[in-house]
Every structure is written in structure tokens, then in C-alpha cells.
């Protein structure tokens, strides 16, 4: 089954430039892509789930935090016909060198918040890629290497009626894999939100940090599984 997806791409550079492109493309359901990604010591990250989970917001925060850290980043968003409840994902490329192709081909890091998101992206994962997933909605086969399960949606529901689930995810990956430093993510959150929304987002991000810390102590390979900036 094919679907239309609207892609919104924000291109950032370490020099502070910002470019927005909006276009509609026809993509196969498998999300297979032609071309390649050439990155010098970087991350290919996919935040995937359903509409309404703030995945575009999360990708934008991650990309801006990378730029704040002096790296280059590209962020794009894809979603189905239903804006809320349908398939949605955000892709982020982070590199300390030039990004020559602005789309993720084989994710190093996949955050999967729904079963559909996992099933679509798992076959595309890089050979040494890692997955952070929600075990309440994603059921990987037993013995999958590089899979880390956290009840992100449950925590977000408890803290802020589910609105901050992507912030919980960002806190977890910031501790386990450090694509960017946690404090840079926090700075971007403070710059982009205010009032009650800022408070909720900070609560969710901080909870994600705390959820990952004991897990990292038990699985020290998580943080060091890839040599990234």
C-alpha cells in the first residue's frame, strides 16, 4: 500500500543558517529510499510513532541542540493522511562534517512509539543500530540485540496527559547514547516553550533522564555502542 506523505524539512548549519522546504512526495509504504547518506562521524536518527505525539517537535529540538553544540544537522518530518493518530515520524541527521544527502537511509538510532513505527523502520536499521521502544505498544521478537524498552507513553500520561512523550524519549537517548549533550537539549526546550507547556516538557525530559540512568549503569555498552560526537 502506498501513501502520500508531506515532508517538511528544516536544514540547519553550524553557522546558524536556517532554511525551510515544504514539499509533497510519493513514498512507498516501506519507506525505502534511493541515494545514500555520507556523514563524517554522525547520527542518523528516526523518531517514529503516531500523529499527536510531538515527533516533529522532538526532531526540531534535537536538531537545534546539535547546532547549539557546534554540529551540523538536518531535520525532516513525514506523516500520513491523518494528522492525529496516523503514522508520523521525524528524521534527524547529525554530523560534525558536511551532510551530503539530507534524508535518513539506515537509522543508527530508532525511537519507536508504536508497533507500526517499529515494523516500518526495523528492516532499515543500520547493522549496529539501536532501538528505544515502548513495550506497551511495540513487541519485538525475543533476543533482539540493541533493543531498549521503556514505558515512555505511560510516564508521559502520568506527568502531562501524554503530550510530552517525545521529551521522555529525548531524555532517555540523551543519557544512553548522547547524540547531543543533555544540557543543550534543555537549553533549546527553554528557548522554544513557556508557561505550563515549558513546565510539562521539562518534567518529561527530566523523567526520561532519570529513567535511563539506572539502565545505563546495568548496561554500560549502551552509551559506548557507537563512536559519535
Amino acid at each position: 500500500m502506498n501513501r502520500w506523505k508531506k515532508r517538511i524539512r528544516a536544514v540547519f548549519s553550524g553557522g546558524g543558517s536556517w532554511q525551510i522546504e515544504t514539499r509533497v512526495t510519493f513514498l512507498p509504504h516501506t519507506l525505502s529510499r534511493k541515494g545514500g547518506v555520507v556523514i563524517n562521524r554522525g547520527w542518523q536518527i528516526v523518531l517514529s510513532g503516531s500523529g499527536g505525539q510531538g515527533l516533529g517537535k522532538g526532531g526540531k529540538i534535537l536538531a537545534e541542540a546539535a547546532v547549539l553544540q557546534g554540529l551540523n544537522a538536518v531535520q525532516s518530518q513525514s506523516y500520513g493522511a491523518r494528522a492525529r493518530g496516523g503514522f508520523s515520524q521525524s528524521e534527524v541527521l547529525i554530523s560534525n562534517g558536511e551532510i551530503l544527502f539530507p534524508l535518513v537511509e539506515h537509522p543508527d538510532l530508532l525511537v519507536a512509539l508504536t508497533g507500526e513505527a517499529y515494523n516500518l523502520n526495523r528492516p532499515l536499521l543500520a547493522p549496529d543500530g539501536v532501538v528505544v521502544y515502548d513495550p506497551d505498544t511495540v513487541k519485538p521478537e525475543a533476543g533482539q540485540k540493541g533493543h531498549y524498552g521503556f514505558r515512555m507513553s505511560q510516564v508521559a500520561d502520568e506527568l502531562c496527559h501524554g503530550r510530552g512523550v517525545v521529551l521522555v524519549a529525548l531524555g532517555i537517548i540523551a543519557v544512553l547514547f548522547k547524540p547531543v549533550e543533555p544540557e543543550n537539549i534543555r537549553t533549546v526546550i527553554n528557548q522554544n516553550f513557556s508557561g505550563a507547556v515549558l513546565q510539562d516538557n521539562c518534567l518529561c525530559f527530566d523523567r526520561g533522564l532519570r529513567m535511563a540512568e539506572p539502565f545505563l549503569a546495568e548496561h554500560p555498552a549502551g552509551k559506548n555502542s557507537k563512536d559519535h560526537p
Side-chain angles (χ1 to χ4, degrees):
M1 175 180 177
N2 292 324
R3 66 177 67 189
W4 286 96
K5 294 184 183 295
K6 186 176 183 181
R7 304 190 64 82
I8 300 177
R9 182 180 308 153
V11 182
F12 304 83
S13 74
S17 63
W18 173 298
Q19 178 184 357
I20 299 292
E21 296 177 21
T22 302
R23 66 180 183 178
V24 176
T25 56
F26 187 72
L27 299 179
H29 186 66
T30 59
L31 299 184
S32 62
R33 299 191 176 94
K34 296 180 180 179
V37 181
V38 180
I39 297 181
N40 179 20
R41 292 188 70 240
W43 283 96
Q44 298 184 53
I45 301 171
V46 171
L47 310 175
S48 192
S50 62
Q53 292 182 315
L55 298 163
K57 172 181 69 178
K60 182 175 181 288
I61 290 170
L62 198 56
E64 288 191 19
V67 172
L68 186 63
Q69 195 166 310
L71 303 170
N72 297 317
V74 178
Q75 184 261 335
S76 65
Q77 185 175 347
S78 304
Y79 49 89
R82 290 184 298 154
R84 183 169 293 273
F87 174 79
S88 177
Q89 76 177 28
S90 182
E91 301 178 0
V92 183
L93 298 172
I94 298 173
S95 176
N96 63 354
E98 183 180 5
I99 298 175
L100 301 180
F101 185 76
L103 298 176
V104 169
E105 187 175 40
H106 297 294
D108 302 301
L109 172 56
L110 167 64
V111 174
L113 300 178
T114 66
E116 180 185 18
Y118 177 80
N119 293 334
L120 284 173
N121 287 289
R122 174 64 183 86
L124 304 177
L125 201 65
D128 58 348
V130 292
V131 180
V132 173
Y133 68 96
D134 192 320
D136 291 331
T137 54
V138 178
K139 307 297 180 183
E141 294 181 5
Q144 290 286 328
K145 183 180 178 181
H147 281 51
Y148 303 84
F150 296 89
R151 287 189 160 82
M152 295 172 277
S153 295
Q154 176 181 309
V155 168
D157 286 341
E158 294 170 355
L159 293 177
C160 55
H161 308 290
R163 293 189 301 271
V165 61
V166 73
L167 276 302
V168 177
L170 291 185
I172 290 169
I173 67 174
V175 170
L176 288 184
F177 308 109
K178 286 199 173 181
V180 296
E181 292 296 328
E183 286 310 308
N184 288 326
I185 296 176
R186 189 187 306 279
T187 297
V188 173
I189 293 171
N190 287 324
Q191 290 173 345
N192 281 272
F193 303 97
S194 61
V197 175
L198 173 60
Q199 182 178 1
D200 286 347
N201 286 341
C202 288
L203 282 173
C204 288
F205 180 65
D206 288 340
R207 180 64 67 86
L209 294 175
R210 294 197 299 272
M211 289 170 68
E213 285 169 355
F215 191 89
L216 182 61
E218 297 174 7
H219 302 79
K223 179 178 176 181
N224 300 314
S225 60
K226 296 181 72 64
D227 180 21
H228 289 296

